[in-house]
Structures are given as C-alpha cells and as structure tokens.
Amino acid sequence: MSNLIIIGASGHGRVIADIARLYGYEEICFLDDNTEITSLGNYEVIGTTADIENVDGDFFVGIGDPKVRKNMMEKLEQNKKIIPILFHPISLIGEDVTIEKGTVVMAGAVINPGTSIGQGVIINTSSSVDHDCKIGDYVHIAVGAHVCGTVEIGESTCIGAGNFYAELKK
C-alpha cells in the first residue's frame, strides 16, 4: 500500500495514524501549519499544507474542526489527491452501508445496515449509528455518542460525547 500523508499533527491525527497503520499503510507522515511541530509519536512532520502539491501519496485530513476539514479536503480534491476511507479493524460496519471518502470509523464504532455516511465524517471511538441513517458531510459523531435509527444529521454537525440523539424523520 502507498504512503499516507495526514494533515493535522494533533491527538486526532495520531489516532488516524494508528488506524492507517492497522489498515496497511507502511509509511505515514504529517503536514501541519504549526512549524514548531516536527514529529508526532513515531511519525515525522514533513511540511505544511502549502506542500500538498509537492508530496505524493494518499492524503487524509486529521483535523476535528469541520470547516477546516472541508477546506482541506477541497484543496486535496483540487490537487487530484487520493483520499481514502479508513476504518479500524474492530469497528463493525453493517450490510449495505455506504461511506464516502475522507471518513474515519474508529475502534469499537458500530454502523448498522442501510446507513449512508457522507465525506469527511468522523465516527469516533465506541460510538454507534443505527440502521437507515443519513449522516451528512463533515459530521462528527463523538466518542461514545449513539444515534438512533432513521435519523438524518446535516452537514458539519457535531453529536457530542456520550449523547443519545434521536430525531423523527421529516
């Protein structure tokens, strides 16, 4: 598998790197606009986001802020970069779930059948999305949050840690 360049050398990016390693990426590095950061754990920071055009490999945005995540993904798309979907090997993804690029599904997360997940979404550690949900682009389902079946969540929404979210479909 090719190398992965993660944008955002922070705690979230570190978890992304761990999932990417488990997913099969052998070479992982970071880009971060804070030039004082030179490494994150075992991974080197090789430049800033201004270097996107000059770096080869797959790219993943490891930034929690949905507006920044969206802007970075748009920049990657403009530069025709490959943006994978990453999922932890101990996540559970049901039958006929659709997941778009730039989405990460973390350890212990469950996504049940019939659900569609937009691009740039974070399905965080031990969270769950029940059947037939529609999760918009750049949503963050935080650690331990649970979404009931047939829920629609709009773009850039954050469902906070440990929350139970239910909404009747309109």
Side-chain angles (χ1 to χ4, degrees), residues 96-110:
D96 76 349
V97 169
T98 59
I99 301 175
E100 293 187 32
K101 66 185 168 197
T103 290
V104 62
V105 181
M106 297 193 175
V110 176

Side-chain angles (χ1 to χ4, degrees), residues 60-71:
F60 203 90
V61 181
I63 297 173
D65 183 296
K67 290 178 185 170
V68 176
R69 201 162 60 249
K70 180 178 182 178
N71 289 338

Side-chain angles (χ1 to χ4, degrees), residues 60 73 77 83-86 97-104 116-121 135-137:
F60 203 90
M73 283 191 55
E77 289 172 338
I83 308 168
I85 299 165
L86 296 175
V97 169
T98 59
I99 301 175
E100 293 187 32
K101 66 185 168 197
T103 290
V104 62
S116 64
I117 308 287
Q119 67 180 10
V121 173
I135 309 300
D137 295 342

Side-chain angles (χ1 to χ4, degrees), residues 28-50:
I28 300 168
C29 59
F30 285 89
L31 295 178
D32 197 289
D33 289 340
N34 181 346
T35 56
E36 293 180 18
I37 302 172
T38 58
S39 66
L40 183 64
N42 296 324
Y43 306 104
E44 183 180 6
V45 176
I46 62 167
T48 68
T49 56

Side-chain angles (χ1 to χ4, degrees), residues 59-140:
F59 280 79
F60 203 90
V61 181
I63 297 173
D65 183 296
K67 290 178 185 170
V68 176
R69 201 162 60 249
K70 180 178 182 178
N71 289 338
M72 285 294 106
M73 283 191 55
E74 287 173 350
K75 186 172 183 176
L76 293 172
E77 289 172 338
Q78 289 169 357
N79 284 280
K80 301 190 183 335
K81 299 297 185 179
I82 295 170
I83 308 168
I85 299 165
L86 296 175
F87 54 90
H88 196 282
I90 62 165
S91 60
L92 297 173
I93 300 172
E95 185 175 52
D96 76 349
V97 169
T98 59
I99 301 175
E100 293 187 32
K101 66 185 168 197
T103 290
V104 62
V105 181
M106 297 193 175
V110 176
I111 304 171
N112 280 323
T115 293
S116 64
I117 308 287
Q119 67 180 10
V121 173
I122 301 167
I123 306 293
N124 220 317
T125 307
S126 297
S127 63
S128 65
V129 179
D130 214 336
H131 64 90
D132 303 302
C133 289
K134 292 182 181 178
I135 309 300
D137 295 342
Y138 312 106
V139 166
H140 182 176

